[in-house]
């Protein structure tokens, strides 16, 4: 089911935020980008503590906007697997900028893995983004 979005304005930032601009949607996108295909339980188990109803609503919304796909698990038909579409993969540069900003301004708070990734991005952002997109598209 495709969802028609009503945009608040013709501002490109506002319009993009209408798609993916809330905390939970970005964290769902992040989890799939960095950890691969995910189940509802995988998302529920993350430390941020999203409620089941909110997670369900965000997954449905992201799917209706063609940011993620949903398919049945091959061995457990009660479980769905969520993955990014190309539209979702194309958000990677935005996520990378969040990592860089956090590394600069939240340095003492972010994980060692995030610091290492930020260092990689600082060394060659364009190459890192291309590499990550290529790796994701292999999945």
């Amino acid at each position: 089911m495709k969802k028609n979005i009503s945009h608040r304005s013709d501002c490109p930032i506002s319009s993009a935020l209408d798609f993916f601009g809330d905390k939970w949607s970005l964290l769902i996108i992040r989890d799939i980008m960095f950890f691969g295909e995910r189940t509802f339980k995988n998302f529920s188990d993350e430390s941020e503590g999203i409620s089941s109803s909110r997670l369900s609503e965000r997954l449905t919304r992201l799917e209706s906007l063609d940011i993620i796909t949903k398919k049945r698990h091959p061995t457990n038909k009660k479980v769905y697997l969520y993955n990014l579409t190309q539209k979702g993969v194309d958000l990677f540069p935005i996520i990378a900028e969040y990592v860089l900003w956090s590394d600069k301004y939240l340095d003492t708070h972010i994980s060692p893995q995030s610091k290492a990734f930020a260092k990689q991005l600082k060394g060659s952002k364009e190459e890192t983004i291309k590499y990550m997109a290529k790796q994701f598209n292999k999945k």
Side-chain angles (χ1 to χ4, degrees):
M1 166 181 82
K2 302 290 182 232
K3 184 172 188 166
N4 289 330
I5 280 267
S6 61
H7 297 284
R8 292 173 280 189
S9 75
D10 60 359
C11 169
I13 295 169
S14 177
S15 296
L17 288 173
D18 288 336
F19 268 82
F20 58 82
D22 65 271
K23 168 185 175 177
W24 298 115
S25 294
L26 286 172
L27 293 176
I28 288 167
I29 293 164
R30 172 210 62 189
D31 286 352
I32 298 172
M33 278 183 181
F34 290 100
F35 306 116
E37 203 166 55
R38 309 297 281 165
T39 65
F40 191 93
K41 182 169 178 10
N42 294 141
F43 294 119
S44 296
D45 290 345
E46 289 298 324
S47 62
E48 287 89 5
I50 188 170
S51 71
S52 294
S53 61
R54 185 154 308 195
L55 175 57
S56 180
E57 187 274 325
R58 292 309 191 279
L59 290 169
T60 299
R61 178 179 171 79
L62 290 170
E63 182 185 15
S64 72
L65 296 170
D66 291 324
I67 302 290
I68 64 172
T69 60
K70 173 179 152 182
K71 67 179 181 182
R72 292 213 183 261
H73 192 283
T75 60
N76 184 349
K77 299 301 178 193
K78 294 180 182 180
V79 174
Y80 287 99
L81 297 171
Y82 297 90
N83 218 332
L84 292 174
T85 63
Q86 187 59 51
K87 190 189 280 188
V89 172
D90 288 345
L91 291 170
F92 187 81
I94 295 165
I95 300 295
E97 290 300 326
Y98 272 100
V99 171
L100 290 169
W101 186 91
S102 295
D103 183 59
K104 183 174 181 178
Y105 294 105
L106 305 174
D107 179 59
T108 60
H109 183 71
I110 65 172
S111 71
Q113 297 90 339
S114 296
K115 287 179 184 291
F117 185 64
K119 184 177 180 178
Q120 185 179 354
L121 283 167
K122 287 178 199 171
S124 179
K125 186 179 356 178
E126 188 175 315
E127 288 304 312
T128 302
I129 289 171
K130 282 181 187 176
Y131 174 79
M132 292 295 290
K134 186 176 178 182
Q135 293 302 335
F136 191 85
N137 286 325
K138 287 182 181 179
K139 295 176 185 176

